Amino acid sequence: AMAGRLAGTGASSPLPRALLLLAVVALFSISFLSLRSLRPAAAPSLPLDEPRRLPLSSPLPASRPSVYHSPEAFAAGYAEMERSFKVYIYPDGDPKTFYQTPRKLTGKYASEGYFFQNIRESRFRTEDPDKADLFFVPISPHKMRGKGTSYENMTMIVKDYVEGLISKYPYWNRTLGADHFFVACHDVGVRAFEGLPFMVKNSIRAVCSPSYNVDFIPHKDVALPQVLQPFALPEGGNDIENRTNLGFWAGHRNSKIRVILARVWENDTELAISNNRINRAIGELVYQKQFYRTKFCICPGGSQVNSARISDSIHYGCVPVILSDYYDLPFNDVLDWRKFAVVLKERDVYELKSILKSISQQEFVALHKSLVQVQKHFVWHSPPVPYDAFHMVMYELWLRHHVIKY
């Protein structure tokens, strides 16, 4: 069936055959790269409160020429996306309830608001649904949550709204929603769609909490970066000589991995680990300034696998150390995360110091330089600018639309 759809796409689309084949290859790469992280070795086999001594191997793979898995495919696909990709936004719904129209694009869920605003002011928007490649369902759980809407009421509001679109327009039934997508950064917001199992199954979900063990489907769904904007200080980078601290984390113990991280390492002399966020009374922007002085910033999962601390680390030039299981990292099928981050499993927390100290200065410099190259992909702008977080999300959507376009 998929082959038939692809063949049909090639016959009716102006896309050159070579670019279409390139997109198909990229889509298979999505599945391959995502499934690699589902290997049995990735699953924690021991309780996290029991230390496990593992044979240490370098967390860094052999050197690659680029931070992108396939620079040529990305460049060609991005250009074609800019040229032809179109999205139709359903106009229905009370803007005060459904549309994210924030006066302030701030907070750890700001990615949701930025996307809603960016898509409206971008060249990708079309007013003609017959020209659309994808259909955006513009209902914002974060907006509703901000108004104090309970989870139960959110679920009913979302269900009524989407079912209204299905009955009013013919587009959903052509693909049972496979060419529709929604965006939700708020973790509770992801659950707001649970009343529509066909939407969870068929539609593309762009979410900030992309975890394999909560129904995230990597070759269909999109991992939305969680970015806490505005950043308090400028980008870090090309400042190797200032980074004299080995590792840093300060935060709330709102997950098992954070509890263990604090318990094992909070008294260490080389890892600056604190089980509480740095109090503002200590000094102005002490927390942010610590990123500038550190080589590796620890990013353990919180209530979800994701954390805005990852984007903070990237922005301030501190190599992020990912400590989350089942996490489909943002833009994972485009970016080679192991070129600019240290990606570990939660069970590696007991060996954290040994792993970081085993990374040579030369390897760290390479990671830092690659990190500077990807900073532009993890920041939102209004209006959007080329290669920023919005365009990277749109590129992910563009990749996926090829297999469901009729």
Side-chain angles (χ1 to χ4, degrees):
M2 183 178 291
R5 295 174 189 173
L6 289 170
T9 304
S12 61
S13 170
L15 286 174
R17 184 177 297 275
L19 278 173
L20 183 58
L21 291 174
L22 185 63
V24 174
V25 171
L27 284 162
F28 279 110
S29 298
I30 294 172
S31 300
F32 172 72
L33 291 167
S34 298
L35 289 173
R36 281 175 57 190
S37 60
L38 291 176
R39 294 176 298 179
S45 57
L46 288 180
L48 279 175
D49 53 0
E50 295 180 10
R52 178 182 182 184
R53 299 295 173 184
L54 300 174
L56 289 179
S57 59
S58 173
L60 303 173
S63 178
R64 293 186 181 180
S66 173
V67 294
Y68 305 100
H69 290 298
S70 178
E72 297 81 8
F74 177 52
Y78 188 95
E80 180 57 31
M81 173 198 73
E82 285 271 35
R83 187 189 70 82
S84 64
F85 192 35
K86 296 298 178 185
V87 171
Y88 179 75
I89 305 175
Y90 282 108
D92 300 68
D94 179 1
K96 295 181 180 179
T97 302
F98 299 127
Y99 288 87
Q100 176 76 345
T101 52
R103 286 172 293 181
K104 294 182 180 180
L105 294 167
T106 58
K108 64 180 180 179
Y109 303 120
S111 292
E112 187 174 317
Y114 267 105
F115 185 89
F116 274 69
Q117 181 153 310
N118 285 173
I119 190 67
R120 287 200 302 273
E121 57 194 13
S122 76
R123 71 179 70 181
F124 301 111
R125 182 178 184 178
T126 178
E127 301 290 343
D128 184 354
D130 292 326
K131 294 181 179 179
D133 299 298
L134 291 180
F135 293 79
F136 178 38
V137 180
I139 187 166
S140 173
H142 179 34
K143 184 73 169 181
M144 288 188 284
R145 193 65 171 175
K147 290 179 173 291
T149 309
S150 68
Y151 160 67
E152 291 76 14
N153 286 338
M154 287 172 62
T155 303
M156 290 188 290
I157 292 172
V158 170
K159 189 173 186 294
D160 290 345
Y161 174 63
V162 175
E163 288 180 345
L165 297 180
I166 294 173
S167 63
K168 183 175 181 180
Y169 297 92
Y171 311 112
W172 175 278
N173 288 324
R174 297 185 305 187
T175 64
L176 290 178
D179 56 359
H180 287 55
F181 72 94
F182 67 87
V183 173
C185 191
H186 199 292
D187 46 2
V188 175
V190 177
R191 296 174 53 208
F193 290 83
E194 290 176 347
L196 298 163
F198 51 82
M199 193 167 191
V200 174
K201 177 183 178 182
N202 296 339
S203 300
I204 301 169
R205 298 185 298 165
V207 299
C208 283
S209 51
S211 180
Y212 294 123
N213 62 344
V214 289
D215 300 323
F216 182 82
I217 304 173
H219 59 274
K220 173 181 76 71
D221 298 331
V222 173
L224 194 70
Q226 188 170 11
V227 185
L228 179 58
Q229 288 189 214
F231 294 108
L233 295 170
E235 286 183 346
N238 303 315
D239 49 8
I240 300 292
E241 65 282 356
N242 298 329
R243 299 183 180 276
T244 55
N245 297 335
L246 178 62
F248 166 64
W249 175 77
H252 299 300
R253 294 185 289 182
N254 59 345
S255 67
K256 189 173 184 180
I257 182 60
R258 292 186 177 192
V259 170
I260 297 171
L261 176 67
R263 189 185 71 214
V264 174
W265 298 110
E266 64 182 339
N267 295 320
D268 191 84
T269 57
E270 294 181 272
L271 295 177
I273 304 298
S274 173
N275 62 11
N276 289 295
R277 285 294 287 261
I278 296 175
N279 195 309
R280 289 184 179 179
I282 298 176
E284 183 69 18
L285 301 175
V286 171
Y287 174 76
Q288 289 83 356
K289 290 175 181 177
Q290 187 77 354
F291 282 85
Y292 288 133
R293 296 191 291 267
T294 306
K295 289 183 175 182
F296 301 101
C297 288
I298 320 303
C299 302
S303 56
Q304 299 290 327
V305 295
N306 53 297
S307 170
R309 188 175 278 97
I310 297 175
S311 295
D312 281 346
S313 301
I314 293 172
H315 174 79
Y316 293 117
C318 184
V319 174
V321 179
I322 312 298
L323 267 179
S324 287
D325 294 331
Y326 309 111
Y327 187 8
D328 192 76
L329 291 158
F331 319 136
N332 187 43
D333 47 287
V334 178
L335 300 177
D336 183 354
W337 274 79
R338 293 184 184 273
K339 291 297 293 293
F340 58 91
V342 179
V343 183
L344 304 176
K345 292 299 175 183
E346 291 183 0
R347 67 191 179 202
D348 294 325
V349 65
Y350 302 104
E351 308 290 348
L352 180 60
K353 184 175 176 179
S354 297
I355 290 174
L356 297 184
K357 294 194 74 171
S358 72
I359 299 173
S360 69
Q361 181 67 10
Q362 181 180 0
E363 290 173 320
F364 166 69
V365 170
L367 286 167
H368 178 77
K369 288 182 177 179
S370 296
L371 186 67
V372 174
Q373 294 181 45
V374 302
Q375 285 175 329
K376 61 180 175 290
H377 300 317
F378 292 87
V379 61
W380 296 89
H381 300 277
S382 182
V385 302
Y387 297 101
D388 66 356
F390 171 72
H391 283 87
M392 292 295 286
V393 172
M394 293 302 294
Y395 180 75
E396 296 278 7
L397 292 169
W398 178 82
L399 282 176
R400 284 153 178 77
H401 94 275
H402 285 87
V403 295
I404 44 81
K405 185 173 176 61
Y406 284 84

